[in-house]
């Protein structure tokens, strides 16, 4: 279980994720890295994942291939990944969700075939996602940077959700 948040404010997008890996009610690891920067064809994309780690890595590898095929087109690569995920019998069994950004676009990609752009420039996934999302939306009108909003939102989520901790990985990217 985990929590990932994506925040877009001004010319910056931040994805932050906690480090907790739980199996049932047991914390197996508290310092996992669930936010990654991919560099494909000279362009950076930041990704955060929630769900099964092996499944998420499979999806990240597929996203990387889609980005290689459509350089600089995160929206197109995301839709192509979602289509494959929805229709491929192997991929359909994967249990994970992704938040991805290239600094311009910010998407949540799901196994249901969804590529969702957040309405209010904040999105979150994982067990504490709704807590982080609510906190992030409440903080958006404050005089805070995207990173400060992401960090404060994750702190609130980790105080509420037993499957979220405060060991953060934070990646930012400029538009």
């Amino acid at each position: 279980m985990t929590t990932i948040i994506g925040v877009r404010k001004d010319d910056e997008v931040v994805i932050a994720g906690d480090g907790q890996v739980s199996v049932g009610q047991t914390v197996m690891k508290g310092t996992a890295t669930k936010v990654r920067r991919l560099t494909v064809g000279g362009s950076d994309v930041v990704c955060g994942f929630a769900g099964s780690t092996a499944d998420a890595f499979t999806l990240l590898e597929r996203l990387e291939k889609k980005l290689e095929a459509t350089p600089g087109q995160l929206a197109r690569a995301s839709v192509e990944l979602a289509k494959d995920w929805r229709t491929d019998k192997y991929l359909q069994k994967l249990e994970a969700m992704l938040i991805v950004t290239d600094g311009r676009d910010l998407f949540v990609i799901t196994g249901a075939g969804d590529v969702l752009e957040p309405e209010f420039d904040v999105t979150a996934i994982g067990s504490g996602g709704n807590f982080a999302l609510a906190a992030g939306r409440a903080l958006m009108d404050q005089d805070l940077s995207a990173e400060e909003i992401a960090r404060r939102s994750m702190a609130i989520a980790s105080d509420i959700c037993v499957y979220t901790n405060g060991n953060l990985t934070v990646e930012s990217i400029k538009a």
Side-chain angles (χ1 to χ4, degrees):
M1 307 287 186
T2 196
T3 303
I4 306 292
I5 189 169
V7 178
R8 177 177 34 219
K9 188 163 184 190
D10 300 325
D11 65 342
E12 180 180 38
V13 182
V14 171
I15 296 180
D18 76 324
Q20 186 158 311
V21 177
S22 304
V23 176
Q25 296 178 344
T26 303
V27 176
M28 298 297 285
K29 184 175 182 176
T31 58
T33 302
K34 300 174 196 163
V35 176
R36 302 252 190 286
R37 182 178 296 269
L38 306 175
T39 302
V40 182
S43 298
D44 283 346
V45 173
V46 176
C47 307
F49 63 85
S52 167
T53 304
D55 291 356
F57 280 123
T58 299
L59 293 168
L60 290 176
E61 287 173 8
R62 295 281 181 127
L63 178 61
E64 219 167 354
K65 288 178 185 170
K66 298 294 182 189
L67 288 166
E68 288 170 0
T70 59
Q73 298 180 53
L74 179 61
R76 185 169 175 197
S78 298
V79 168
E80 291 300 318
L81 174 63
K83 285 184 349 189
D84 287 356
W85 194 354
R86 178 88 171 134
T87 58
D88 184 285
K89 291 194 184 299
Y90 167 72
L91 293 178
Q92 285 176 355
K93 295 179 181 2
L94 300 182
E95 296 182 12
M97 292 178 78
L98 303 174
I99 295 178
V100 299
T101 185
D102 59 1
R104 291 178 308 276
D105 294 318
L106 176 63
F107 299 119
V108 174
I109 308 172
T110 74
D114 299 315
V115 178
L116 305 168
E117 188 168 15
E119 257 185 306
F120 302 102
D121 290 331
V122 179
T123 191
I125 58 175
S127 55
N130 287 336
F131 304 118
L133 177 63
R137 285 186 58 186
L139 293 169
M140 283 298 284
D141 64 351
Q142 303 296 307
D143 188 24
L144 300 170
S145 69
E147 182 170 340
E148 290 169 321
I149 292 169
R151 287 183 180 279
R152 287 184 185 190
S153 299
M154 290 296 291
I156 290 167
S158 70
D159 284 345
I160 298 169
C161 178
V162 297
Y163 296 109
T164 304
N165 70 22
N167 294 328
L168 300 183
T169 301
V170 179
E171 288 281 348
S172 68
I173 190 167
K174 299 283 184 182

